Coordinates of all heavy atoms in Angstrom, one line a residue:
M123 N 26.9 -6.4 0.7 CA 26.2 -5.5 1.7 C 26.1 -6.2 3.0 O 25.6 -7.4 3.0 CB 24.9 -5.0 1.1 CG 24.2 -4.1 1.9 SD 22.6 -3.6 1.3 CE 23.0 -2.8 -0.2
D124 N 26.4 -5.5 4.0 CA 26.2 -6.2 5.3 C 24.7 -6.3 5.7 O 23.9 -5.5 5.3 CB 27.1 -5.5 6.4 CG 26.6 -4.1 6.8 OD1 25.4 -4.0 7.1 OD2 27.5 -3.2 6.8
P125 N 24.4 -7.2 6.6 CA 23.0 -7.4 7.0 C 22.3 -6.2 7.6 O 21.2 -5.9 7.4 CB 23.1 -8.6 7.9 CG 24.3 -9.3 7.6 CD 25.3 -8.3 7.1
L126 N 23.1 -5.5 8.4 CA 22.6 -4.3 9.1 C 22.2 -3.3 8.1 O 21.1 -2.7 8.2 CB 23.6 -3.8 10.1 CG 23.1 -2.6 10.9 CD1 21.8 -2.8 11.7 CD2 24.2 -2.1 11.9
R127 N 23.0 -3.0 7.2 CA 22.8 -2.0 6.1 C 21.6 -2.5 5.3 O 20.7 -1.6 4.9 CB 24.0 -1.8 5.2 CG 23.8 -0.8 4.1 CD 23.6 0.7 4.8 NE 23.4 1.6 3.7 CZ 22.5 2.6 3.7 NH1 21.8 2.8 4.8 NH2 22.4 3.4 2.7
A128 N 21.5 -3.7 4.9 CA 20.3 -4.2 4.2 C 19.0 -4.0 5.0 O 18.0 -3.6 4.4 CB 20.5 -5.7 3.9
Q129 N 19.1 -4.3 6.2 CA 17.9 -4.1 7.1 C 17.5 -2.6 7.1 O 16.3 -2.3 7.1 CB 18.2 -4.6 8.5 CG 17.0 -4.7 9.4 CD 17.3 -5.3 10.7 OE1 18.4 -5.3 11.1 NE2 16.3 -5.8 11.4
Q130 N 18.5 -1.7 7.2 CA 18.2 -0.3 7.3 C 17.6 0.2 5.9 O 16.6 0.9 5.9 CB 19.5 0.5 7.5 CG 20.0 0.4 8.9 CD 21.3 1.0 9.1 OE1 22.1 1.2 8.1 NE2 21.7 1.4 10.3
L131 N 18.1 -0.3 4.8 CA 17.5 0.0 3.5 C 16.1 -0.5 3.3 O 15.2 0.2 2.8 CB 18.4 -0.5 2.4 CG 19.7 0.2 2.2 CD1 20.6 -0.5 1.1 CD2 19.5 1.7 1.7
A132 N 15.8 -1.7 3.9 CA 14.5 -2.2 3.8 C 13.5 -1.5 4.6 O 12.4 -1.1 4.2 CB 14.5 -3.7 4.3
A133 N 14.0 -1.0 5.8 CA 13.1 -0.1 6.7 C 12.8 1.2 6.0 O 11.7 1.7 6.0 CB 13.8 0.1 8.0
E134 N 13.9 1.8 5.4 CA 13.7 3.0 4.6 C 12.7 2.9 3.5 O 11.9 3.8 3.3 CB 15.0 3.6 4.2 CG 15.9 4.1 5.3 CD 17.3 4.5 4.8 OE1 17.5 4.6 3.5 OE2 18.2 4.7 5.6
L135 N 12.9 1.8 2.7 CA 12.0 1.5 1.6 C 10.5 1.4 2.1 O 9.6 1.9 1.5 CB 12.4 0.3 0.9 CG 11.6 -0.1 -0.4 CD1 11.6 1.0 -1.4 CD2 12.1 -1.4 -0.9
E136 N 10.4 0.7 3.2 CA 9.0 0.5 3.7 C 8.4 1.8 4.2 O 7.2 2.1 3.9 CB 9.0 -0.5 4.9 CG 7.7 -0.8 5.5 CD 7.6 -1.9 6.5 OE1 8.7 -2.4 6.9 OE2 6.5 -2.1 7.0
V137 N 9.2 2.7 4.8 CA 8.6 4.1 5.2 C 8.3 4.8 3.9 O 7.2 5.4 3.8 CB 9.7 4.8 6.0 CG1 9.3 6.3 6.2 CG2 9.8 4.2 7.4
D138 N 9.2 4.8 2.9 CA 8.9 5.5 1.6 C 7.6 4.9 1.0 O 6.8 5.7 0.5 CB 10.0 5.4 0.7 CG 11.2 6.2 1.1 OD1 11.1 7.0 2.0 OD2 12.3 5.9 0.5
M139 N 7.4 3.6 1.0 CA 6.2 3.0 0.4 C 5.0 3.4 1.2 O 3.9 3.7 0.5 CB 6.4 1.5 0.3 CG 7.4 1.1 -0.8 SD 7.8 -0.7 -0.7 CE 6.3 -1.4 -0.7
M140 N 5.0 3.4 2.5 CA 3.9 3.8 3.3 C 3.5 5.2 3.1 O 2.3 5.6 3.0 CB 4.1 3.5 4.7 CG 4.1 2.0 5.1 SD 2.6 1.1 4.6 CE 1.5 1.9 5.7
A141 N 4.5 6.1 3.0 CA 4.3 7.5 2.8 C 3.6 7.8 1.4 O 2.7 8.6 1.2 CB 5.6 8.3 2.8
D142 N 4.1 7.0 0.4 CA 3.6 7.1 -1.0 C 2.1 6.6 -1.0 O 1.2 7.3 -1.6 CB 4.4 6.3 -1.9 CG 3.8 6.4 -3.4 OD1 3.8 7.5 -3.9 OD2 3.5 5.3 -3.9
M143 N 1.8 5.5 -0.3 CA 0.4 5.0 -0.2 C -0.4 6.0 0.5 O -1.6 6.3 0.0 CB 0.4 3.7 0.6 CG -0.9 3.0 0.5 SD -2.1 3.3 1.8 CE -1.2 3.0 3.3
Y144 N 0.0 6.7 1.6 CA -0.8 7.6 2.3 C -1.1 8.9 1.4 O -2.2 9.3 1.3 CB 0.0 8.1 3.6 CG -0.7 9.2 4.3 CD1 -1.8 8.9 5.1 CD2 -0.3 10.5 4.1 CE1 -2.5 9.9 5.8 CE2 -1.0 11.5 4.8 CZ -2.0 11.3 5.6 OH -2.7 12.3 6.3
N145 N 0.0 9.4 0.7 CA -0.2 10.5 -0.2 C -1.2 10.2 -1.3 O -2.1 11.0 -1.7 CB 1.1 10.9 -0.7 CG 2.0 11.6 0.3 OD1 1.5 12.2 1.2 ND2 3.3 11.5 0.1
R146 N -1.1 9.0 -1.9 CA -2.0 8.6 -3.0 C -3.5 8.5 -2.5 O -4.4 8.9 -3.1 CB -1.6 7.3 -3.7 CG -0.4 7.4 -4.5 CD 0.1 6.0 -4.9 NE 1.3 6.0 -5.6 CZ 1.4 6.0 -7.0 NH1 0.3 5.9 -7.7 NH2 2.6 6.0 -7.5
M147 N -3.7 7.9 -1.3 CA -4.9 7.8 -0.7 C -5.5 9.1 -0.4 O -6.7 9.3 -0.7 CB -4.8 6.9 0.6 CG -6.1 6.8 1.3 SD -5.9 6.0 2.9 CE -4.9 7.1 3.8
T148 N -4.7 10.0 0.2 CA -5.2 11.3 0.5 C -5.7 12.1 -0.7 O -6.8 12.7 -0.8 CB -4.1 12.1 1.3 OG1 -3.7 11.5 2.4 CG2 -4.5 13.6 1.6
Q149 N -4.9 12.0 -1.8 CA -5.3 12.7 -3.0 C -6.5 12.1 -3.6 O -7.4 12.9 -4.0 CB -4.1 12.7 -4.0 CG -2.9 13.5 -3.6 CD -1.7 13.3 -4.5 OE1 -1.7 12.5 -5.4 NE2 -0.6 14.0 -4.2
A150 N -6.6 10.8 -3.7 CA -7.7 10.1 -4.3 C -9.0 10.4 -3.6 O -10.0 10.7 -4.1 CB -7.4 8.6 -4.4
C151 N -8.9 10.3 -2.3 CA -10.1 10.4 -1.4 C -10.6 11.9 -1.4 O -11.7 12.2 -1.4 CB -9.9 9.9 -0.1 SG -9.8 8.0 0.0
H152 N -9.6 12.8 -1.3 CA -9.9 14.3 -1.4 C -10.6 14.6 -2.7 O -11.6 15.3 -2.7 CB -8.7 15.1 -1.2 CG -9.0 16.5 -1.1 ND1 -9.0 17.4 -2.1 CD2 -9.2 17.3 0.0 CE1 -9.3 18.6 -1.7 NE2 -9.4 18.6 -0.4
R153 N -10.1 14.1 -3.8 CA -10.6 14.4 -5.1 C -12.0 13.8 -5.2 O -12.9 14.4 -5.9 CB -9.7 13.8 -6.2 CG -9.9 14.2 -7.6 CD -8.9 13.8 -8.6 NE -8.4 12.4 -8.4 CZ -7.2 12.0 -8.0 NH1 -6.4 13.0 -7.6 NH2 -6.9 10.7 -7.8
K154 N -12.2 12.6 -4.6 CA -13.5 12.0 -4.8 C -14.6 12.6 -3.9 O -15.8 12.7 -4.3 CB -13.3 10.5 -4.5 CG -14.6 9.7 -4.5 CD -14.3 8.2 -4.1 CE -15.4 7.3 -3.9 NZ -16.6 7.4 -4.4
C155 N -14.2 13.0 -2.7 CA -15.2 13.4 -1.7 C -15.4 14.9 -1.4 O -16.4 15.3 -0.8 CB -14.9 12.7 -0.4 SG -14.9 10.8 -0.5
V156 N -14.4 15.7 -1.7 CA -14.5 17.1 -1.3 C -14.5 17.9 -2.6 O -13.6 17.8 -3.5 CB -13.2 17.5 -0.5 CG1 -13.3 19.0 -0.1 CG2 -13.1 16.6 0.7
P157 N -15.6 18.7 -2.8 CA -15.6 19.6 -4.0 C -14.5 20.5 -4.1 O -13.9 20.9 -3.1 CB -17.0 20.3 -3.8 CG -17.4 20.1 -2.4 CD -16.6 19.0 -1.8
P158 N -14.1 20.9 -5.3 CA -12.9 21.7 -5.6 C -13.1 23.1 -5.0 O -12.1 23.7 -4.7 CB -12.8 21.7 -7.1 CG -14.0 21.3 -7.6 CD -14.7 20.5 -6.6
H159 N -14.3 23.6 -4.9 CA -14.6 25.0 -4.3 C -15.2 24.8 -3.0 O -16.3 24.4 -2.9 CB -15.4 25.8 -5.3 CG -14.9 25.9 -6.6 ND1 -13.7 26.7 -6.9 CD2 -15.2 25.4 -7.8 CE1 -13.4 26.6 -8.2 NE2 -14.3 25.8 -8.8
Y160 N -14.5 25.2 -1.9 CA -15.0 25.0 -0.6 C -16.1 26.0 -0.2 O -16.0 27.2 -0.6 CB -13.9 25.2 0.5 CG -12.7 24.2 0.3 CD1 -11.4 24.7 0.1 CD2 -12.9 22.9 0.3 CE1 -10.3 23.9 0.0 CE2 -11.8 22.0 0.2 CZ -10.5 22.5 0.1 OH -9.5 21.6 -0.1
K161 N -17.2 25.5 0.3 CA -18.3 26.3 0.7 C -18.3 26.6 2.2 O -18.6 27.7 2.6 CB -19.6 25.7 0.3 CG -19.8 25.4 -1.2 CD -21.1 24.6 -1.4 CE -21.1 24.4 -2.9 NZ -22.1 23.4 -3.3
D162 N -17.8 25.7 2.9 CA -17.7 25.8 4.4 C -16.3 25.6 4.9 O -15.5 24.9 4.2 CB -18.7 24.8 5.1 CG -20.1 25.0 4.7 OD1 -20.5 26.2 4.7 OD2 -20.8 24.0 4.4
V163 N -16.1 26.0 6.1 CA -14.7 25.9 6.7 C -14.5 24.5 7.1 O -13.4 23.9 6.9 CB -14.6 26.8 7.9 CG1 -13.3 26.6 8.6 CG2 -14.7 28.3 7.6
E164 N -15.6 23.8 7.6 CA -15.4 22.4 8.0 C -16.1 21.4 7.0 O -16.9 21.8 6.2 CB -16.1 22.2 9.4 CG -15.3 23.0 10.5 CD -15.9 22.8 11.9 OE1 -16.5 21.8 12.0 OE2 -15.6 23.6 12.7
L165 N -15.7 20.2 7.1 CA -16.3 19.1 6.2 C -17.8 18.9 6.6 O -18.1 19.0 7.8 CB -15.6 17.9 6.4 CG -14.2 17.7 5.9 CD1 -13.5 16.4 6.3 CD2 -14.1 17.9 4.4
S166 N -18.6 18.7 5.6 CA -20.0 18.4 5.8 C -20.1 16.9 6.3 O -19.1 16.2 6.1 CB -20.8 18.6 4.5 OG -20.5 17.6 3.6
K167 N -21.2 16.5 6.8 CA -21.4 15.2 7.2 C -21.2 14.2 6.0 O -20.6 13.2 6.2 CB -22.8 14.9 7.8 CG -23.0 13.5 8.3 CD -24.0 13.5 9.4 CE -24.3 12.1 9.8 NZ -23.4 11.7 10.9
G168 N -21.8 14.6 4.8 CA -21.6 13.7 3.7 C -20.1 13.6 3.2 O -19.7 12.5 2.9
E169 N -19.4 14.7 3.3 CA -18.0 14.6 3.0 C -17.2 13.7 3.9 O -16.4 12.9 3.5 CB -17.4 16.0 2.9 CG -17.9 16.9 1.8 CD -17.6 18.3 2.0 OE1 -17.2 18.8 3.1 OE2 -17.6 19.1 0.9
S170 N -17.5 13.9 5.2 CA -16.9 13.1 6.3 C -17.1 11.6 6.1 O -16.2 10.7 6.1 CB -17.3 13.5 7.6 OG -16.9 14.8 7.9
V171 N -18.4 11.2 5.8 CA -18.8 9.8 5.6 C -18.1 9.3 4.4 O -17.5 8.2 4.3 CB -20.3 9.7 5.4 CG1 -20.7 8.3 5.0 CG2 -21.0 10.0 6.8
C172 N -18.1 10.1 3.3 CA -17.4 9.7 2.0 C -15.9 9.5 2.3 O -15.3 8.4 1.8 CB -17.6 10.8 1.0 SG -16.8 10.4 -0.6
L173 N -15.2 10.4 3.0 CA -13.9 10.2 3.3 C -13.6 8.9 4.2 O -12.6 8.2 3.9 CB -13.3 11.4 4.0 CG -13.1 12.7 3.1 CD1 -12.9 13.9 3.9 CD2 -12.0 12.5 2.1
D174 N -14.4 8.7 5.1 CA -14.3 7.5 5.9 C -14.3 6.2 5.1 O -13.5 5.3 5.3 CB -15.3 7.5 7.1 CG -15.0 8.4 8.2 OD1 -13.9 8.9 8.3 OD2 -16.0 8.7 9.0
R175 N -15.4 6.2 4.3 CA -15.5 5.0 3.4 C -14.4 4.9 2.4 O -13.9 3.7 2.2 CB -16.9 5.0 2.7 CG -18.1 4.9 3.6 CD -19.4 4.9 2.8 NE -20.5 4.7 3.8 CZ -21.7 5.0 3.4 NH1 -22.0 5.5 2.3 NH2 -22.7 4.7 4.3
C176 N -14.0 5.9 1.8 CA -12.9 5.9 0.9 C -11.6 5.4 1.5 O -10.9 4.5 0.9 CB -12.7 7.3 0.2 SG -11.4 7.4 -1.0
V177 N -11.3 6.0 2.6 CA -10.0 5.5 3.3 C -10.2 4.0 3.7 O -9.2 3.3 3.5 CB -9.7 6.4 4.6 CG1 -8.7 5.8 5.4 CG2 -9.4 7.8 4.1
A178 N -11.3 3.6 4.2 CA -11.4 2.2 4.6 C -11.3 1.3 3.4 O -10.6 0.3 3.5 CB -12.8 2.0 5.3
K179 N -11.9 1.7 2.3 CA -11.7 0.8 1.1 C -10.3 0.8 0.5 O -9.8 -0.3 0.1 CB -12.8 1.3 0.0 CG -14.2 1.0 0.2 CD -15.0 1.6 -0.9 CE -16.5 1.3 -0.6 NZ -17.4 1.8 -1.7
Y180 N -9.7 2.0 0.6 CA -8.4 2.1 0.1 C -7.4 1.2 0.9 O -6.6 0.5 0.4 CB -7.9 3.5 0.1 CG -6.7 3.9 -0.8 CD1 -7.1 4.5 -2.0 CD2 -5.5 3.6 -0.5 CE1 -6.0 4.8 -2.9 CE2 -4.4 4.0 -1.4 CZ -4.7 4.6 -2.6 OH -3.7 4.9 -3.4
L181 N -7.5 1.3 2.2 CA -6.7 0.5 3.1 C -7.0 -1.0 3.0 O -6.1 -1.9 3.0 CB -6.9 0.9 4.6 CG -6.3 2.3 4.8 CD1 -6.6 2.7 6.3 CD2 -4.8 2.4 4.6
E182 N -8.2 -1.4 2.7 CA -8.6 -2.8 2.6 C -8.0 -3.4 1.3 O -7.4 -4.4 1.3 CB -10.1 -3.0 2.5 CG -10.6 -4.4 2.4 CD -12.1 -4.6 2.3 OE1 -12.8 -3.6 2.6 OE2 -12.5 -5.7 2.0
V183 N -8.1 -2.6 0.2 CA -7.5 -3.0 -1.0 C -6.0 -3.1 -0.9 O -5.4 -4.1 -1.4 CB -7.9 -2.1 -2.2 CG1 -7.1 -2.3 -3.4 CG2 -9.4 -2.3 -2.5
H184 N -5.4 -2.2 -0.2 CA -3.9 -2.2 -0.1 C -3.5 -3.4 0.7 O -2.6 -4.1 0.3 CB -3.5 -0.9 0.7 CG -2.1 -0.8 0.8 ND1 -1.3 -1.1 1.9 CD2 -1.1 -0.3 -0.1 CE1 -0.1 -0.9 1.7 NE2 0.1 -0.4 0.5
E185 N -4.3 -3.8 1.7 CA -4.0 -5.0 2.6 C -4.1 -6.3 1.7 O -3.3 -7.1 1.7 CB -4.9 -5.0 3.8 CG -4.6 -6.2 4.7 CD -5.6 -6.3 5.8 OE1 -6.4 -5.4 6.0 OE2 -5.5 -7.3 6.6
R186 N -5.2 -6.3 1.0 CA -5.4 -7.5 0.1 C -4.3 -7.6 -0.9 O -3.9 -8.8 -1.2 CB -6.8 -7.4 -0.6 CG -8.0 -7.7 0.3 CD -9.3 -7.6 -0.6 NE -10.4 -7.8 0.3 CZ -11.6 -8.0 -0.2 NH1 -11.9 -7.9 -1.5 NH2 -12.7 -8.2 0.6
M187 N -4.0 -6.6 -1.5 CA -2.9 -6.6 -2.6 C -1.6 -7.1 -1.9 O -0.8 -7.9 -2.5 CB -2.7 -5.3 -3.2 CG -3.9 -5.0 -4.2 SD -3.7 -3.3 -5.0 CE -2.1 -3.4 -5.7
G188 N -1.3 -6.6 -0.8 CA -0.1 -7.0 0.0 C -0.1 -8.4 0.3 O 1.0 -9.1 0.1
K189 N -1.2 -8.9 0.7 CA -1.3 -10.4 1.0 C -1.1 -11.2 -0.2 O -0.3 -12.2 -0.2 CB -2.6 -10.7 1.7 CG -2.6 -10.3 3.1 CD -4.0 -10.6 3.7 CE -4.1 -10.2 5.2 NZ -5.4 -10.5 5.8
K190 N -1.7 -10.8 -1.3 CA -1.6 -11.6 -2.6 C -0.2 -11.5 -3.1 O 0.3 -12.5 -3.6 CB -2.6 -11.0 -3.6 CG -2.7 -11.8 -4.9 CD -3.2 -13.1 -4.6 CE -3.4 -14.0 -5.9 NZ -3.9 -15.3 -5.6
L191 N 0.4 -10.4 -3.1 CA 1.8 -10.2 -3.6 C 2.8 -11.1 -2.7 O 3.7 -11.7 -3.3 CB 2.2 -8.8 -3.6 CG 1.6 -7.9 -4.7 CD1 2.0 -6.4 -4.5 CD2 1.9 -8.4 -6.0
T192 N 2.6 -11.1 -1.4 CA 3.3 -11.9 -0.6 C 3.2 -13.4 -0.9 O 4.2 -14.2 -1.0 CB 3.0 -11.7 0.9 OG1 3.3 -10.3 1.3 CG2 3.8 -12.6 1.9
E193 N 1.9 -13.8 -1.2 CA 1.6 -15.2 -1.5 C 2.3 -15.6 -2.8 O 2.9 -16.6 -2.9 CB 0.1 -15.3 -1.7 CG -0.4 -16.7 -2.0 CD -1.9 -16.7 -2.3 OE1 -2.6 -16.2 -1.4 OE2 -2.3 -17.2 -3.3
L194 N 2.2 -14.7 -3.8 CA 2.8 -14.9 -5.1 C 4.4 -15.0 -5.0 O 5.0 -15.8 -5.6 CB 2.4 -13.9 -6.1 CG 1.0 -13.9 -6.5 CD1 0.7 -12.7 -7.4 CD2 0.6 -15.2 -7.3
S195 N 4.9 -14.1 -4.2 CA 6.4 -14.1 -3.9 C 6.8 -15.5 -3.3 O 7.8 -16.0 -3.7 CB 6.8 -13.0 -3.1 OG 8.2 -13.0 -2.8
L196 N 6.0 -16.0 -2.4 CA 6.4 -17.2 -1.7 C 6.3 -18.4 -2.7 O 7.1 -19.3 -2.7 CB 5.5 -17.5 -0.5 CG 5.7 -16.6 0.7 CD1 4.7 -16.8 1.7 CD2 7.1 -16.7 1.3
Q197 N 5.3 -18.3 -3.6 CA 5.2 -19.4 -4.6 C 6.3 -19.3 -5.6 O 6.9 -20.4 -6.0 CB 3.8 -19.1 -5.4 CG 2.6 -19.5 -4.6 CD 1.3 -19.2 -5.3 OE1 1.4 -18.6 -6.5 NE2 0.2 -19.5 -4.7
D198 N 6.8 -18.1 -5.9 CA 7.9 -18.0 -6.9 C 9.2 -18.6 -6.2 O 9.9 -19.2 -6.9 CB 8.1 -16.5 -7.3 CG 7.1 -16.0 -8.3 OD1 6.3 -16.8 -8.8 OD2 7.0 -14.8 -8.4
E199 N 9.4 -18.2 -4.9 CA 10.5 -18.7 -4.2 C 10.5 -20.3 -4.2 O 11.5 -20.9 -4.4 CB 10.6 -18.1 -2.8 CG 11.0 -16.7 -2.8 CD 11.0 -16.1 -1.3 OE1 11.0 -16.9 -0.4 OE2 11.0 -14.9 -1.2
E200 N 9.4 -20.8 -3.9 CA 9.2 -22.3 -3.8 C 9.5 -22.9 -5.2 O 10.2 -23.9 -5.3 CB 7.9 -22.6 -3.3 CG 7.7 -24.1 -3.1 CD 8.6 -24.8 -2.1 OE1 8.9 -24.1 -1.1 OE2 9.0 -25.9 -2.2
L201 N 9.0 -22.3 -6.2 CA 9.2 -22.8 -7.6 C 10.7 -22.7 -7.9 O 11.3 -23.7 -8.5 CB 8.4 -22.0 -8.6 CG 8.5 -22.4 -10.0 CD1 8.1 -23.9 -10.2 CD2 7.7 -21.5 -10.9
L202 N 11.3 -21.7 -7.6 CA 12.8 -21.4 -7.8 C 13.6 -22.5 -7.1 O 14.5 -23.1 -7.7 CB 13.2 -20.0 -7.5 CG 14.7 -19.7 -7.8 CD1 15.0 -19.8 -9.3 CD2 15.0 -18.3 -7.3
K203 N 13.2 -22.8 -5.9 CA 13.9 -23.8 -5.1 C 13.8 -25.2 -5.8 O 14.8 -25.9 -5.8 CB 13.4 -23.9 -3.7 CG 13.9 -22.8 -2.8 CD 13.3 -22.9 -1.4 CE 13.6 -21.7 -0.5 NZ 13.0 -21.8 0.8
R204 N 12.6 -25.5 -6.2 CA 12.3 -26.8 -6.8 C 13.1 -26.9 -8.1 O 13.6 -28.0 -8.4 CB 10.8 -27.0 -7.0 CG 10.1 -27.5 -5.8 CD 8.7 -27.9 -6.1 NE 7.9 -26.7 -5.9 CZ 6.8 -26.5 -6.6 NH1 6.3 -27.4 -7.4 NH2 6.1 -25.4 -6.3
M205 N 13.1 -25.8 -8.9 CA 13.9 -25.9 -10.1 C 15.4 -26.0 -9.9 O 16.0 -26.8 -10.6 CB 13.6 -24.5 -10.9 CG 12.2 -24.5 -11.5 SD 11.9 -22.9 -12.3 CE 13.2 -22.7 -13.4
Q206 N 15.9 -25.4 -8.9 CA 17.3 -25.5 -8.5 C 17.7 -26.9 -8.1 O 18.7 -27.5 -8.4 CB 17.7 -24.5 -7.5 CG 17.8 -23.1 -8.0 CD 18.1 -22.1 -7.0 OE1 17.9 -22.3 -5.8 NE2 18.5 -20.9 -7.4
Q207 N 16.8 -27.5 -7.3 CA 16.9 -28.9 -6.8 C 16.9 -29.9 -8.0 O 17.7 -30.8 -8.0 CB 15.9 -29.3 -5.7 CG 16.1 -28.5 -4.4 CD 15.0 -28.8 -3.5 OE1 13.9 -29.3 -3.8 NE2 15.2 -28.3 -2.2
G208 N 16.0 -29.6 -8.9 CA 15.9 -30.5 -10.1 C 17.1 -30.4 -11.0 O 17.4 -31.5 -11.6
T209 N 17.8 -29.3 -11.1 CA 18.9 -29.2 -11.9 C 20.2 -29.5 -11.2 O 21.3 -29.5 -11.8 CB 19.0 -27.8 -12.6 OG1 19.2 -26.8 -11.5 CG2 17.8 -27.5 -13.5
G210 N 20.1 -29.6 -9.9 CA 21.3 -30.0 -9.1 C 22.2 -28.8 -8.7 O 23.3 -29.0 -8.2
T211 N 21.7 -27.6 -8.9 CA 22.4 -26.4 -8.6 C 22.0 -25.9 -7.2 O 20.9 -26.2 -6.8 CB 22.3 -25.3 -9.6 OG1 20.9 -24.9 -9.7 CG2 22.9 -25.7 -10.9
A212 N 22.9 -25.2 -6.6 CA 22.5 -24.7 -5.2 C 22.1 -23.2 -5.2 O 22.5 -22.5 -6.1 CB 23.7 -24.9 -4.3

């Protein structure tokens, strides 16, 4: 696969993953903060505050997980390199 095509696929995957994260966050926070039977046309102050907090927590956890997964991936790559060097393979 040529590098340009690989870069395009990676960009498409990133967009898909972000859209999925947004959809999951929207569903989870709506389910948690907004009652199933609407009483008013607009969100109440309590619902708005709940949604703000829910979104902030969701994004914070998503960022932490991304950092941790990146860290683990780098550790795995380093371990693989050391193993390959130890066995003499490239």
Side-chain angles (χ1 to χ4, degrees):
M123 179 180 302
D124 67 51
L126 180 59
R127 182 67 182 139
Q129 190 176 19
Q130 288 173 335
L131 286 175
E134 290 174 11
L135 180 61
E136 186 173 357
V137 168
D138 289 347
M139 289 172 49
M140 290 303 293
D142 181 60
M143 189 268 309
Y144 176 80
N145 288 332
R146 288 173 185 261
M147 176 186 66
T148 301
Q149 291 172 357
C151 292
H152 185 273
R153 190 171 46 251
K154 177 179 173 25
C155 299
V156 180
H159 303 289
Y160 300 124
K161 297 176 186 168
D162 297 315
V163 176
E164 296 187 18
L165 293 172
S166 70
K167 181 157 178 87
E169 292 167 342
S170 293
V171 169
C172 180
L173 287 168
D174 286 343
R175 289 180 179 165
C176 181
V177 168
K179 287 179 182 180
Y180 204 97
L181 293 176
E182 181 181 350
V183 168
H184 187 263
E185 181 183 357
R186 284 184 182 186
M187 287 178 55
K189 286 180 180 179
K190 187 63 176 178
L191 289 172
T192 299
E193 179 184 311
L194 292 172
S195 178
L196 291 174
Q197 288 175 357
D198 286 348
E199 287 178 18
E200 183 62 33
L201 179 61
L202 183 60
K203 283 180 187 177
R204 279 189 271 153
M205 288 173 57
Q206 287 176 342
Q207 289 172 351
T209 60
T211 59

